[in-house]
Amino acid sequence: MSNQHSEQASTQVHGTDQDTPADAGSESVSASGSGWRGCWVLWVLVVVVAAAALYGVWRVVQQQQVLGLQLDELRADVAQEDHMLQGLRDEQQAMQADIGDLRTGLSKGALVRAVTEASFLVRIAHDHLVFAYDLPGAVNVLGAAEQVVGDVDDVRLVEVKRQLADTLQVLRQVDVPDISRLALQLKRWAARAQELPLAQNKMAPVSATPATEQAGARWQVLLYGFWAELKSLVAVRQGEQVTVPLITPEQQYFLYQNLRLELGAAQISLLHRDPRNLRASLSAVRDWVNRYFDVRSANTKALLAELDALEKIDVAPALPELSSLQQALHDVLAAVRDGDEGVQKIDATDAGRVMESGTANTPL
């Protein structure tokens, strides 16, 4: 077994030694073949790279051409949009001009409406002052006119606003007496006239005529009473003294009635704010009370005090005139009308010039 193994080993060694020259030749041939193959591979790679580069350049050129066309289209779109934008700007300017004209017309209309309404309110306030002497009502109406004018911002209303403010300030400072309360006091005194006692030294003695006889000749009593009343108004002077006839019981009724009538006349003059007739009526009442009634009585003293206090009251204080305010409103309306007429005249002149020149307006 060992011999066999040794033989095999020697055979392998010898075989190896015999094959060595052939392998060397094959290795040289394979080396030269691999060199050519490497060159061919290299050339192929170069060609592929060159072709890829050329293809890339061609693709870039194509993309540049496409981008150029797209850029031209974008430029055309931008130019068209610029043209449209310019048209929109022109339309916006025209709209702004129309809006300005509309605002001017609206402001002018608001001005005319406010001035007209304020003028109407001033007339109402004038009626409150002149015919009813109603200061609170006039103040309320003028306050409404001031609010109407104040809502309009126009330089032509400056004078109107100033006069309204001054008039309202003056009216709020006027001290107006309570006419209704004073008239009610006079009415109460007229109802209580019977409570005033007559002076004892002016009363005539009571007649002893029977009641039936007095009732039968009542018309004679009334006639005599009127005659006695007329005679009582006449004083007969004897030297330096004045003799006042005595008042009979039948005349007392007419005396109280005349006192009530005079107090009623004073009440009417007070309600009408007529200071002249009011003073005349109060003076007549005072004279009658001092002449025929007991001035030591509490009721008589109270009535005389009421008359003195009422005579000191200014029942018709001076009120501001509203004519200047009304004139200021009229001037504003006149200025607005003159402005409109001036604009119409200018437009008519321009139209005439266009017709003379022979040019026609091209509608938009």
Side-chain angles (χ1 to χ4, degrees):
M1 291 294 294
S2 61
N3 293 327
Q4 292 177 356
H5 287 297
S6 62
E7 288 178 359
Q8 292 177 356
S10 62
T11 303
Q12 292 176 354
V13 170
H14 289 290
T16 305
D17 292 337
Q18 292 176 359
D19 295 337
T20 301
D23 293 335
S26 63
E27 288 178 358
S28 61
V29 173
S30 63
S32 61
S34 63
W36 282 103
R37 286 195 300 271
C39 290
W40 279 104
V41 170
L42 180 61
W43 278 104
V44 169
L45 289 175
V46 171
V47 171
V48 170
V49 169
L54 290 175
Y55 180 76
V57 171
W58 179 78
R59 291 287 298 176
V60 169
V61 172
Q62 292 293 327
Q63 290 178 358
Q64 287 181 351
Q65 291 178 355
V66 173
L67 290 175
L69 294 176
Q70 293 178 354
L71 183 60
D72 292 339
E73 292 178 357
L74 290 175
R75 287 176 179 173
D77 294 339
V78 169
Q80 186 177 1
E81 290 180 357
D82 288 340
H83 181 70
M84 293 176 61
L85 182 60
Q86 184 63 33
L88 291 175
R89 288 176 180 174
D90 295 339
E91 291 180 359
Q92 184 179 5
Q93 291 179 356
M95 289 177 63
Q96 288 179 352
D98 293 339
I99 292 173
D101 295 339
L102 182 60
R103 287 178 177 175
T104 303
L106 290 176
S107 62
K108 186 179 297 184
L111 174 63
V112 173
R113 183 174 61 254
V115 172
T116 304
E117 186 176 355
S119 179
F120 180 71
L121 292 174
V122 169
R123 291 180 183 176
I124 295 176
H126 175 268
D127 294 341
H128 276 280
L129 291 178
V130 174
F131 298 107
Y133 214 92
D134 182 12
L135 263 71
V139 169
N140 292 332
V141 174
L142 288 178
E146 185 181 29
Q147 184 176 0
V148 169
V149 174
D151 293 338
V152 180
D153 187 10
D154 196 294
V155 69
R156 288 170 287 189
L157 293 176
V158 174
E159 180 64 21
V160 174
K161 293 178 181 179
R162 184 190 65 80
Q163 291 193 21
L164 271 173
D166 295 343
T167 303
L168 283 172
Q169 184 179 2
V170 172
L171 287 176
R172 291 189 179 104
Q173 292 177 354
V174 174
D175 186 12
V176 181
D178 190 355
I179 299 298
S180 300
R181 181 182 60 84
L182 298 176
L184 183 59
Q185 290 179 358
L186 289 178
K187 184 177 180 180
R188 289 174 179 173
W189 278 113
R192 296 174 53 191
Q194 200 70 27
E195 300 178 4
L196 299 176
L198 292 171
Q200 295 295 328
N201 58 350
K202 295 185 176 71
M203 296 179 63
V206 180
S207 176
T209 307
T212 56
E213 184 180 353
Q214 291 181 358
R218 185 171 181 80
W219 66 273
Q220 296 179 356
V221 173
L222 292 175
L223 183 60
Y224 176 76
F226 281 117
W227 175 250
E229 183 64 29
L230 291 175
K231 290 193 301 181
S232 66
L233 298 177
V234 179
V236 180
R237 289 182 179 273
Q238 296 178 356
E240 296 297 329
Q241 297 181 355
V242 178
T243 303
V244 180
L246 299 179
I247 302 174
T248 62
E250 293 82 2
Q251 295 172 339
Q252 295 179 13
Y253 171 78
F254 297 100
L255 179 61
Y256 283 116
Q257 289 299 323
N258 288 332
L259 181 60
R260 292 190 182 96
L261 290 175
E262 204 63 47
L263 288 172
Q267 181 183 0
I268 293 174
S269 300
L270 180 62
L271 291 174
H272 284 280
R273 296 181 182 273
D274 186 358
R276 180 179 179 182
N277 289 326
L278 176 62
R279 286 193 296 268
S281 298
L282 294 178
S283 178
V285 172
R286 183 184 294 104
D287 292 342
W288 278 54
V289 170
N290 289 326
R291 179 178 297 183
Y292 298 108
F293 294 90
D294 187 4
V295 295
R296 296 171 298 179
S297 172
N299 290 334
T300 307
K301 291 180 179 180
L303 176 58
L304 292 175
E306 290 275 354
L307 296 177
D308 293 338
L310 184 58
E311 205 168 22
K312 296 177 182 178
I313 296 176
D314 187 6
V315 296
L319 299 177
E321 290 288 339
L322 301 181
S323 57
S324 60
L325 180 58
Q326 192 70 31
Q327 184 63 39
L329 291 169
H330 178 74
D331 293 341
V332 173
L333 285 178
V336 174
R337 295 193 191 96
D338 293 341
D340 293 339
E341 291 176 358
V343 171
Q344 292 176 0
K345 290 180 181 178
I346 293 174
D347 294 341
T349 304
D350 294 338
R353 291 175 181 175
V354 170
M355 294 178 64
E356 290 175 0
S357 62
T359 59
N361 293 327
T362 303
L364 296 177

